[in-house]
Amino acid sequence: MVLLDGKKIAEDIKIELRQALAQIQDAGEKVPHLATILVGDMAASQTYVRNKMKACEEVGIKASLFHFPATITAEELVQKVEKLNQNPEIDGFFVQLPLPAHLNAEMITLAIDPRKDVDGFHPENLGKMMLDLPCFLPATPFGITEILRRYNIETSGKNCVVIGRSHIVGMPMGLLMSRNHPQGNCTVTVAHSRTKNLKEVTRNADILIVAIGKADFVTADMVKEGAVIIDVGINRVQTTDGKSKIKGDVHFESVAPKCAYISPVPGGVGSTTVIALLMNTFRAAKGKKELTTS
Ligand code: NDP
């Protein structure tokens, strides 16, 4: 069994980004600038935002945080988004999810200029992804394709099962795995909570990507011998000593011995998600230059 080391991939990409940044600086060009909109004080969101800003700092991308109280109205938040859309200093930005219940994430996402939508959640980017046009890929699926690419995992002709159909992970992941691409060309099944006989479906998977948000959900009896397992889940669970720890959606201890490749949690997909956001920011900065010179 080979461990898919997302942390190591993230470090490798950081080196590549640092080199690209040095070239940008040598050429006297503007350093890419990523902005984050954070609403409220959810501890997990604050941690995610801190990690993303730290990663920016490590590669030399400029990072700015716009933190608003949970009481902000939808109209006010859209105004903040529009201000960032118009700010030429900011190359890309994203709104950390989830938002407080009174704010509609889809509506806020729609307000983002697709050229600055480095999370890749805007319908224009999702539509372009479907049509194989240049776009920002959603960060988590983008990071997973990087894992597959950098480990030279053959995907063509394989049966890929994605469990989960969220708009930010499962659905775009299924689409990417089915496209005509070196990290694609799979026969894809997207399973969800209404799927019948899930175990029979997953046992047919050469590549199993799990994004459901339930700790240890996938067990050894659900996995084909020699499969590639990508665990997207991030679940905080209580331990017997009263503390807590992060667990994936896959029961790692029983599944790992059975498969060819497996991504751990933590240290797998989470690390590449952050780095995919940085890669998109670089591309946003580049796109803007192309737009201004054309
Ligand atoms: P959502 O809650 O939006 O979607 C969960 C999906 O899982 C739904 O499609 C749901 O089906 C399906 N599901 C739930 N229970 C079952 C079941 N028993 N059998 C089959 N399918 C089921 O979650 P997200 O996609 O946003 O996130 C999934 C997990 O990934 C979470 O743990 C999240 O924290 C993590 N995550 C990790 C990231 C990373 O960087 N590593 C990034 C983003 C998320 P239905 O549609 O029918 O309800």
Side-chain angles (χ1 to χ4, degrees), residues 275-293:
I275 217 71
L277 185 71
L278 269 51
M279 290 196 280
N280 277 345
T281 303
F282 254 84
R283 294 192 49 214
K286 190 167 175 284
K288 218 168 69 178
K289 277 184 209 103
E290 282 165 1
L291 277 178
T292 48
T293 51

Side-chain angles (χ1 to χ4, degrees), residues 63-82:
S64 301
L65 174 63
F66 295 83
H67 191 177
F68 304 112
T71 50
I72 192 168
T73 65
E75 291 70 29
E76 286 167 339
L77 189 54
V78 167
Q79 278 172 16
K80 303 290 183 195
V81 164
E82 278 165 1

Side-chain angles (χ1 to χ4, degrees), residues 140 163-166 168-169 192-194 198 211-214 217 232-235 249 269-270 273:
T140 301
I163 320 182
R165 59 175 165 183
S166 73
I168 62 170
V169 187
H192 44 77
S193 66
R194 312 285 174 88
L198 184 63
I212 63 174
K214 292 191 172 154
F217 181 86
V232 183
I234 299 179
N235 308 288
D249 288 344
V269 173
T273 294

Side-chain angles (χ1 to χ4, degrees), residues 9 13 141-151 272 279:
I9 290 177
I13 298 175
F142 183 15
I144 291 171
T145 62
E146 276 301 298
I147 294 177
L148 296 170
R149 185 170 79 83
R150 288 173 187 252
Y151 275 88
T272 52
M279 290 196 280

Side-chain angles (χ1 to χ4, degrees), residues 45-284:
S45 293
Q46 286 181 334
T47 305
Y48 291 140
V49 166
R50 229 183 354 258
N51 289 343
K52 290 169 186 175
M53 293 188 74
K54 186 168 160 266
C56 282
E57 220 172 84
E58 283 169 8
V59 301
I61 290 178
K62 198 170 166 194
S64 301
L65 174 63
F66 295 83
H67 191 177
F68 304 112
T71 50
I72 192 168
T73 65
E75 291 70 29
E76 286 167 339
L77 189 54
V78 167
Q79 278 172 16
K80 303 290 183 195
V81 164
E82 278 165 1
K83 257 187 149 173
L84 292 183
N85 284 342
Q86 282 152 22
N87 184 344
E89 275 302 306
I90 307 285
D91 297 297
F93 66 98
F94 69 96
V95 179
Q96 180 64 45
L97 301 178
L99 288 170
H102 69 283
L103 297 170
N104 179 317
E106 276 78 27
M107 192 191 103
I108 305 297
T109 303
L110 264 180
I112 297 175
D113 181 335
R115 291 169 302 181
K116 294 192 177 188
D117 167 41
V118 285
D119 247 347
F121 295 164
H122 191 283
E124 185 173 318
N125 279 312
L126 290 171
K128 284 181 171 172
M129 175 180 74
M130 207 193 102
L131 298 172
D132 251 336
L133 295 170
C135 64
F136 296 119
L137 296 179
T140 301
F142 183 15
I144 291 171
T145 62
E146 276 301 298
I147 294 177
L148 296 170
R149 185 170 79 83
R150 288 173 187 252
Y151 275 88
N152 289 315
I153 293 173
E154 181 59 78
T155 57
S156 181
K158 305 287 183 189
N159 284 329
C160 173
V161 174
V162 181
I163 320 182
R165 59 175 165 183
S166 73
H167 295 158
I168 62 170
V169 187
M171 205 50 106
M173 193 71 240
L175 204 80
L176 289 178
M177 296 306 289
S178 66
R179 71 187 169 155
N180 185 354
H181 187 272
Q183 281 71 52
N185 287 318
C186 287
T187 305
V188 175
T189 304
V190 177
H192 44 77
S193 66
R194 312 285 174 88
T195 299
K196 291 209 167 78
N197 304 322
L198 184 63
K199 197 189 289 190
E200 280 170 31
V201 175
T202 56
R203 271 156 60 160
N204 195 31
D206 303 306
I207 300 172
L208 179 61
I209 303 175
V210 193
I212 63 174
K214 292 191 172 154
D216 293 339
F217 181 86
V218 170
T219 46
D221 57 329
M222 297 172 74
V223 171
K224 181 178 180 176
E225 197 81 42
V228 177
I229 310 288
I230 306 283
D231 189 353
V232 183
I234 299 179
N235 308 288
R236 186 163 285 283
V237 295
Q238 297 297 317
T239 52
T240 44
D241 56 6
K243 294 186 180 152
S244 69
K245 68 171 179 178
I246 300 291
K247 294 215 86 179
D249 288 344
V250 176
H251 186 258
F252 185 89
E253 295 75 9
S254 67
V255 172
K258 209 175 167 184
C259 54
Y261 296 88
I262 185 166
S263 70
V265 178
V269 173
S271 311
T272 52
T273 294
V274 174
I275 217 71
L277 185 71
L278 269 51
M279 290 196 280
N280 277 345
T281 303
F282 254 84
R283 294 192 49 214

